[in-house]
Amino acid sequence: MSQPKGTVVLAYSGGLDTSCILVWLKEQGYNVIAYLANIGQKEDFEAARKKALALGAKKVYIEDISKEFVEEFIWPAVQANALYEDRYLLGTALARPCIARKLVAIAQREGAQCVAHGATGKGNDQVRFELTCYALCPSIKVIAPWRLPEFYQRFPGRRELMDYAKKHSIPVPVTPQTPWSMDENLMHISYEAGILENPKPAGARQPVASSLWLGWRVPPAGREEEEGVLVKVTNAGDGAAHCSPLELFMYLNDVAGKHGVGRIDIVENRFVGMKSRGIYETPAGTILYHAHLDIEAFTMDREVRKIKQGLALKFAELVYNGFWHSPECEFLRQCIGRSQEAVVGTVRLSVFKGHVYILGRESPRSLYNEELVSMNVQGDYEPADATGFININSLRLKEYHRLQSKVTVKQDE
């Protein structure tokens, strides 16, 4: 055993890696406090607590951060219509700053100078965890075992980690490990590594119909809420309504998950520079993405929406890369939140066999003018005006092709 090195708060999951890291940190001379975040995953938290204590943790914190995850991290992403590389709804990327924020808070509460995590040295999560920690507590020391030569040279593979677990009586499943790595939270389940590292074989499951009403509304006077945030879900079949953020999100996960909504198999670009293959299931997030996109198009000015789309691309990139607590990301959240003031209304949709179908929408802030757009009524519009509009817009095209004709003739001479 090494000389005492103080206290470290470990972001602990109860799995093989962080269980071994807990024991290894004690070997290095640290007093270890284990922190397990309840962020919506299916987990026996009491069993995980007992396991951590049995492995020598000085104390165990199990923190339920599901509500703040939905309200403070998922909702801004929904407002942004955030997609990384056109497909990924950022489930893990949104969870990490939420988890790491509490990690820092516990370290400060316990007077610990160090925090530790079990993220791999090749992935994005190490960046997300640590950028959050350094942003919120610049003096904190982060211990990342999978980046320390004395750790990864001792444990070059899973076999060595399993041997270490056996030697130190660390409980591990007696059945073979799943041939991939899985991470679960309220927003999504991700599958990576193992057999999925070969991008050719199929890895996704096959998906089955329910109708829902999703409503956005103006908040009551005097309350500080942002528009563009889901406030109610009503099942069109039985009329059951769900209103609290956490409750309605869990309900959507249940309904959409049964229909295979939000399953994707993609190759993405990690921030550290390599491509990786991942399989994601994001049921509620996918419903919210499509519903919010629809009501936003219905209520938002065209030019504002163009600008907001550009902001959303940058926001998704910042979140994916771990910069949630950066000044630029805070600025973007403010801008995107400001754009949502008119995003109010109700969307009717159905889910069936992996797809989300928008069936209709209504809003008191709609910019859709039925009389103006109707083919049967002239409304407040003069069709003859379109002639000048077309002539002006065609001028640039005429000049371009006039020049091209001259260049072609000259080349043929």
Side-chain angles (χ1 to χ4, degrees):
M1 183 74 71
S2 300
Q3 292 297 314
K5 295 180 180 177
T7 300
V8 58
V9 181
L10 170 65
Y12 176 77
S13 69
L16 175 65
D17 288 30
T18 54
S19 294
C20 289
I21 287 171
L22 192 162
V23 175
W24 182 83
L25 286 169
K26 283 182 59 61
E27 272 187 353
Q28 308 310 303
Y30 290 100
N31 290 318
V32 182
I33 294 174
Y35 153 57
L36 177 56
N38 176 358
I39 202 159
Q41 71 272 34
K42 295 177 179 64
E43 178 88 47
D44 186 338
F45 293 102
E46 193 51 41
R49 180 197 300 276
K50 291 177 180 177
K51 181 177 179 179
L53 290 171
L55 295 177
K58 176 184 173 185
K59 189 184 291 188
V60 179
Y61 281 88
I62 297 178
E63 299 286 318
D64 187 344
I65 55 175
S66 301
K67 185 174 182 291
E68 59 200 78
F69 180 41
V70 173
E71 295 178 5
E72 299 176 39
F73 294 85
I74 294 177
W75 279 173
V78 171
Q79 287 183 316
N81 300 321
L83 277 180
Y84 179 70
E85 295 188 336
D86 305 314
R87 291 185 288 178
Y88 175 39
L89 284 164
L90 300 166
T92 300
L94 290 166
R96 295 315 186 224
C98 184
I99 295 170
R101 184 174 69 177
K102 185 67 71 173
L103 179 68
V104 169
I106 292 171
Q108 292 174 327
R109 189 185 316 169
E110 291 288 339
Q113 301 300 310
C114 305
V115 295
H117 62 76
T120 174
K122 288 186 176 181
N124 297 306
D125 281 343
Q126 57 179 337
V127 183
R128 296 163 180 161
F129 274 123
E130 295 181 37
L131 289 183
T132 295
C133 290
Y134 290 134
L136 299 182
C137 184
S139 63
I140 201 79
K141 178 184 177 183
V142 179
I143 302 171
W146 284 115
R147 292 206 310 270
L148 299 175
E150 60 267 33
F151 187 88
Y152 65 72
Q153 288 174 3
R154 183 177 176 183
F155 306 110
R158 249 180 133 62
R159 182 188 304 169
E160 290 79 10
L161 213 56
M162 293 286 285
D163 290 342
Y164 182 80
K166 185 176 180 180
K167 178 182 176 183
H168 292 274
S169 301
I170 300 171
V172 294
V174 294
T175 55
Q177 293 287 312
T178 51
W180 52 70
S181 172
M182 187 181 89
D183 182 72
E184 180 183 7
N185 61 51
L186 268 175
M187 183 67 164
H188 85 171
I189 302 177
S190 66
Y191 308 88
E192 289 184 324
I195 63 171
L196 300 179
E197 288 174 355
N198 182 347
K200 185 178 179 180
R205 302 181 305 191
Q206 293 299 315
V208 241
S210 299
S211 294
L212 307 169
W213 289 87
L214 280 78
W216 282 261
R217 63 164 169 79
V218 179
R223 289 181 61 188
E224 294 183 356
E225 295 181 38
E226 294 177 337
E227 293 83 348
V229 170
L230 184 65
V231 295
K232 187 177 182 180
V233 177
T234 304
N235 187 301
D238 59 17
H242 305 268
C243 299
S244 77
L246 183 56
E247 177 197 7
L248 63 84
F249 199 85
M250 293 174 68
Y251 172 72
L252 287 178
N253 264 336
D254 182 55
V255 172
K258 291 176 181 177
H259 294 274
V261 170
R263 294 176 181 171
I264 60 171
D265 184 330
I266 65 172
V267 173
E268 70 199 58
N269 289 294
R270 287 182 181 169
F271 188 29
V272 295
M274 65 188 76
K275 292 184 184 291
S276 67
R277 191 259 191 105
I279 294 170
Y280 302 108
E281 298 187 53
T282 317
T286 300
I287 282 184
L288 292 174
Y289 173 81
H290 288 289
H292 180 267
L293 195 64
D294 187 82
I295 202 70
E296 188 176 81
F298 194 49
T299 57
M300 186 177 285
D301 174 77
R302 180 185 72 180
E303 298 305 314
V304 172
R305 188 161 183 268
K306 285 180 183 179
I307 294 171
K308 192 254 180 178
Q309 284 176 301
L311 297 179
L313 286 173
K314 186 62 179 177
F315 174 77
E317 178 186 299
L318 289 172
V319 173
Y320 185 87
N321 292 342
F323 288 93
W324 180 273
H325 290 288
S326 66
E328 63 271 30
C329 195
E330 291 178 3
F331 172 73
L332 282 180
R333 290 200 297 275
Q334 291 291 324
C335 292
I336 290 167
R338 172 70 173 79
S339 76
Q340 299 297 292
E341 291 182 355
V343 183
V344 174
T346 300
V347 180
R348 187 163 62 93
L349 58 84
S350 67
V351 293
F352 184 68
K353 289 190 175 180
H355 295 282
V356 178
Y357 298 93
I358 303 295
L359 306 177
R361 79 288 296 158
E362 59 182 330
S363 169
R365 303 292 296 272
S366 166
L367 290 174
Y368 182 90
N369 185 330
E370 189 172 349
E371 183 180 270
L372 182 63
V373 78
S374 174
M375 297 294 185
N376 300 314
V377 182
Q378 183 170 324
D380 189 20
Y381 179 77
E382 180 55 63
D385 291 344
T387 301
F389 177 79
I390 294 167
N391 286 340
I392 291 297
N393 277 282
S394 69
L395 181 61
R396 177 177 61 89
L397 306 181
K398 290 175 181 178
E399 287 302 293
Y400 173 78
H401 287 283
R402 178 183 63 80
L403 176 60
Q404 292 300 106
S405 298
K406 284 184 176 181
V407 171
T408 303
V409 170
K410 204 164 189 178
Q411 288 175 342
D412 292 341
E413 291 176 353

